[in-house]
Amino acid sequence: MRIAVDAFGTDNAPFPEIEGAVLAIKEDLCEEVILVGDEVKIKYELEKFFYPQKRISVVNATQRIEMEDSGATAVRSKRDSSLVKTIELHNQGLADAAVSAGNTGAVMSASLLIYGRIKNVLRPAIAVVFPTETGHQILLDMGANVDCTAENLVQFAKLGSMYFKYFFQEEHPRISLLNIGEESAKGNATTKQAYQLLSQEKELNFIGNIEGKDIIKGITDVVVCDGFVGNIVLKTIEGVGFSIFEILKEQINKDWIAKLGALLSYPVYTHIKNKLDHTEYGGALLVGLNGISVVAHGRSNAKAMKNAIRFAALIAQSGFVTNARNYFERS
Amino acid sequence: MRIAVDAFGTDNAPFPEIEGAVLAIKEDLCEEVILVGDEVKIKYELEKFFYPQKRISVVNATQRIEMEDSGATAVRSKRDSSLVKTIELHNQGLADAAVSAGNTGAVMSASLLIYGRIKNVLRPAIAVVFPTETGHQILLDMGANVDCTAENLVQFAKLGSMYFKYFFQEEHPRISLLNIGEESAKGNATTKQAYQLLSQEKELNFIGNIEGKDIIKGITDVVVCDGFVGNIVLKTIEGVGFSIFEILKEQINKDWIAKLGALLSYPVYTHIKNKLDHTEYGGALLVGLNGISVVAHGRSNAKAMKNAIRFAALIAQSGFVTNARNYFERS
């Protein structure tokens, strides 16, 4: 697999992107990485590493899309940006997937403009893999569509189901609707209607509503919600995890016996922190498009970028996009 | 203060209610508790405790509203239920506040029917106090109104601000809108409009949008959102906290050194668990009504019921309802 990487996406660009690419090649996570951006800078940095040189190439781009740029406008006005060129490389078949840690709105706009939507998909969505007590789960939408109809939610369920099926090789992923109660009559106008529609989809393994309290228990494979709720919920999970560890640290530092105790329990903390660590995961996948765009976290370090590259390669191998296209085009 | 308590609300009713009432009186958290429900059962249980007998009275009620009963219907058909009679006692001036751990929808329906809304309040809401890294915060609505307009959110902000002001004696509580980004242009159609309206409210200390990741950091005093989002977010916080402790416990049990460590750090865990423990808080307050209804958790134990009684007494003393009524009636 050849992965095109926007080298100017992270807060510390291009260093995490370049080191991440080198690590991905050294660990053989894909055949080739194409780094896109200021050629002089990238090549200068690349020289600091020892790696099989034929497997990392550089494509020049003279512009950069900033975090504060508005998605669609930036994409149209900065056609020579590292982001737009990364997506174009994949669209032209010169790469098997595109990775960027830039502005999510801009990645979505560029992907929509360049790959286009899969026929019959009303709205593409952002899907994220996140850890649960027992394994992994996909949540979508995490922010592309803040106002959704019930039909949008049903399509997210189908896209999520196919994503989970091909990526985790699970024949009948369990699909749940994020709601305020388990009963079918619970929810707002949209989720009540979505529940009815989802119940009629015989091809989906729809197991009903899921509440916030069960969201990281691992009792489902795909959680469906609109982008407003999804974004708030995922950020809440991140925030609560972080806060609990902060309070733990603060309290432990107050007391030397507790400090000694924490030292002995250290491997356990590390294990849990790794479990919750976003850098262990590949990033978000834009679904419903005629191509593969992986969005990494803006704060990604080299390890996170390496994992995003691995993730993009695995998604390309999985056949998810081809299968989703076949499914929606005939529906 | 005299507090009316529905003795048949919790999952283990009437035991937590009765013991909670006895504890509240022994600790002098209010002058009098009126327990409402099956008189024979309550009196039989009360005899097991030693307490100043004049300060707990019993009012008979022959019916009980169950968790599966639909709110409004149950309230109309079960006029002799412990819940309806508890609310009526307060409405008739025989108690200064009402407490129930029953079905939240039914408590809201009974309160609406019996006290009525404050004039000019469009929709009453459910407000909860919850812990943050630095102190406390109020979130509303947590589930009474799943489909909200921007005007509803503005009224929630005003009610939340007054609640925080009178209860925590803080002159200018910081008000935030729960959203998917800090900028005013972020959000769904409703929150974008609510942001504009809130910015124009000169009497409110509106500090802007807050994201999910900052929700328990303690950087605001009142978090405003619709009941769909509020319910999901609060349950997510509860679920994540619970899951982290479950994973910690499981991992610690695998390793005797970590187990020894955990033993030494035990007071720290207890401190954090107490901090996150819902039984430490009073329960949810229904706001926007001409009366005080406190809803305790259905899983409440005696300590949680005691705290709900204390909380109801403090709310009654705070003057929140009178001040909210004066404010909205002249608006």
Side-chain angles (χ1 to χ4, degrees), chain B residues 15 18 50 53 72-73 79 132-133 147 162 199 203-205 251 253 263 267 278 298 302:
Chain B
F15 310 107
I18 292 171
F50 182 75
Q53 301 207 354
T73 324
R79 295 308 295 246
T132 65
E133 276 185 50
D147 292 293
M162 272 183 271
S199 306
E203 285 175 42
L204 282 182
N205 180 15
Q251 290 297 323
N253 279 332
L263 217 64
H278 71 90

Side-chain angles (χ1 to χ4, degrees), chain A residues 133 211 213 235 243 269, chain B residues 133 189 211 213 235 243 269:
Chain A
E133 276 185 50
E211 291 188 75
K213 68 183 167 55
K235 287 185 180 162
S243 287
Y269 292 122
Chain B
E133 276 185 50
E211 291 188 75
K213 69 183 164 59
K235 287 184 180 163
S243 287
Y269 292 122

Side-chain angles (χ1 to χ4, degrees), chain B residues 150-183:
Chain B
E151 287 76 16
N152 295 150
L153 297 181
V154 173
Q155 288 200 337
F156 297 167
K158 290 178 178 174
L159 286 163
S161 179
M162 272 183 271
Y163 176 3
F164 202 94
K165 176 176 170 181
Y166 292 104
F167 191 68
F168 291 109
Q169 283 154 34
E170 170 67 51
E171 197 53 38
H172 300 291
R174 296 161 299 175
I175 312 297
S176 303
L177 185 63
L178 186 56
N179 210 330
I180 62 169
E182 287 177 16
E183 308 83 349

Side-chain angles (χ1 to χ4, degrees), chain A residues 71-214:
Chain A
T73 325
V75 166
R76 285 174 200 279
S77 63
K78 294 185 175 174
R79 296 306 296 247
D80 201 51
S81 60
S82 53
L83 168 56
V84 170
K85 289 192 91 166
T86 302
I87 308 259
E88 269 170 355
L89 278 173
H90 170 37
N91 197 51
Q92 290 155 5
L94 300 171
D96 300 296
V99 172
S100 174
N103 180 328
T104 310
V107 181
M108 179 57 99
S109 299
S111 305
L112 257 171
L113 191 75
I114 297 164
Y115 315 139
R117 279 177 291 132
I118 288 176
K119 194 183 154 192
N120 297 324
V121 168
L122 301 166
R123 302 263 199 103
I126 305 171
V128 286
V129 180
F130 72 102
T132 66
E133 276 185 50
T134 55
H136 301 95
Q137 196 165 277
I138 287 174
L139 184 144
L140 76 171
D141 175 28
M142 86 145 276
N145 309 282
V146 291
D147 292 292
C148 284
T149 63
E151 286 78 15
N152 295 150
L153 296 181
V154 172
Q155 289 201 336
F156 298 167
K158 290 177 178 173
L159 287 163
S161 179
M162 271 181 272
Y163 177 3
F164 201 94
K165 176 177 169 180
Y166 291 103
F167 192 68
F168 291 108
Q169 282 152 35
E170 169 68 50
E171 198 52 39
H172 300 291
R174 296 161 298 174
I175 314 296
S176 305
L177 185 64
L178 186 55
N179 209 331
I180 62 168
E182 287 177 16
E183 307 83 349
S184 64
K186 291 275 180 164
N188 56 17
T190 313
T191 53
K192 279 184 204 169
Q193 199 194 338
Y195 189 101
Q196 297 308 323
L197 295 175
L198 285 166
S199 306
Q200 292 155 21
E201 293 287 341
K202 297 294 166 232
E203 285 175 43
L204 282 181
N205 181 15
F206 176 56
I207 61 166
N209 290 331
I210 188 173
E211 291 188 75
K213 68 183 167 55
D214 298 321

